[in-house]
Amino acid sequence: VVSRVLTASVQMRGVVYPATEYDVYPTAPTSSSASAASASSGTPSGSSAASGSALYISKLTVAAGSTIRNGKRLAEIDGQPLFALAGKVPAWRDLTPGESGPDVRELQRALAKLGYYDNGDLAGYFGSATEYAVGLYFEHFGYPPPADGSMPAADVVFLPSLPATVVAVNGASGEQPGQPFLELAARGSLALTGELPPAYAGQVKAGLKVTLYDEITGIRASGTVSELGTATTLSPAGAI
C-alpha cells in the first residue's frame, strides 16, 4: 500500500496589468497659472479630462519606462512646469500663503522629504517657511518662484503611490497633450484577470496561493487569489 497526497491543479490564461494606475490630464488654467493638471487612479485607470483651452507641450522630461519619484519634473505645459509630488489629496486649488488644510500638509511633507522644508510652520498651515520652501523648489529647476508665493494647482500632480513608472506618453514637444497625457503605473504588486472554466470553480477560492508563468519570458511569480467574479456558462477562448 502506498500513501500519497493527492493534488489537483487548475490552469488558466489571463492578462497581467498594474494593480494601480494613474492618468495625468493637463487642463486649462483656472487662475493666473498657465496650465493645470489632475491625476486619476483606478483599476484599470480611467477618467474624463476637464474642458478648457488648447494647451501645448513645451518640454518633455519623461519617457515610457521612466521612474517617477517625489519631486520629479514631468514636463512643461505652455512654458509652466508640471511636477509630481507625493500625496493622496488631489491638487484641486492653488495653495497660497495663509491657507490651511490636509493638502497643505501633504505639500509640506513632500517638500520636507526633498530637503526644502524645515517644518517651520504649523502642520497644515501655509506660512512663511512653506512659502520659502516652494520658492527653493522652483528655483532648483530654474524657474522663478510664483509671484504670490503659492504652489499653483497648475504646476503639480499629487500621486498617492511613488515611485511610479511611466507606461505611456501621449504627445511630444510642440504638440497638444493627449487625453490622458501621461499614463503611470504604481510600483509594487501586479494584478491578473482571467476566465475560469465552470468545471474548475469549486477548486478555486479566495486566498488560494497560485503560481504565475509567462510563456514568452519564462518568468515565474507567486500570487494569491483575491476574489472570484460572477459565474459564467461560457468557457474561455484559447487553449487551457
Side-chain angles (χ1 to χ4, degrees):
V1 177
V2 178
S3 175
R4 295 181 178 176
V5 177
L6 300 179
T7 62
S9 62
V10 176
Q11 295 183 351
M12 58 178 287
R13 296 183 182 276
V15 177
V16 177
Y17 56 90
T20 304
E21 296 180 283
Y22 306 107
D23 290 346
V24 178
Y25 294 89
T27 59
T30 56
S31 62
S32 58
S33 302
S35 65
S38 62
S40 64
S41 64
T43 310
S45 59
S47 174
S48 60
S51 61
S53 59
L55 302 172
Y56 289 88
I57 303 169
S58 305
K59 181 184 296 184
L60 267 175
T61 53
V62 298
S66 296
T67 297
I68 306 302
R69 302 185 186 278
N70 181 43
K72 175 73 174 179
R73 181 181 60 173
L74 303 176
E76 281 186 6
I77 305 296
D78 281 1
Q80 293 296 110
L82 178 57
F83 300 118
L85 292 177
K88 296 182 179 180
V89 182
W92 61 276
R93 59 172 178 167
D94 292 346
L95 299 178
T96 58
E99 297 280 4
S100 61
D103 46 357
V104 175
R105 178 60 181 137
E106 73 177 4
L107 171 65
Q108 293 170 332
R109 287 174 175 167
L111 295 178
K113 291 179 180 178
L114 296 170
Y116 297 109
Y117 179 62
D118 61 0
N119 296 309
D121 294 328
L122 292 174
Y125 175 75
F126 199 122
S128 58
T130 305
E131 179 180 352
Y132 181 68
V134 170
L136 289 178
Y137 180 51
F138 272 76
E139 290 174 348
H140 172 79
F141 288 95
Y143 299 101
D148 59 358
S150 70
M151 170 58 83
D155 298 345
V156 63
V157 173
F158 286 103
L159 297 172
S161 181
L162 291 175
T165 300
V166 178
V167 176
V169 178
N170 302 311
S173 296
E175 298 178 354
Q176 290 182 295
Q179 300 294 334
F181 169 40
L182 300 176
E183 299 174 49
L184 312 179
R187 289 284 185 90
S189 61
L190 299 175
L192 179 146
T193 61
E195 294 181 344
L196 181 68
Y200 297 149
Q203 301 179 50
V204 179
K205 305 293 183 182
L208 181 69
K209 300 297 182 181
V210 298
T211 299
L212 310 179
Y213 175 66
D214 188 324
E215 296 174 319
I216 298 177
T217 64
I219 295 176
R220 293 181 181 273
S222 59
T224 303
V225 175
S226 60
E227 62 179 339
L228 297 177
T230 304
T232 176
T233 58
L234 300 177
S235 297
I240 300 301

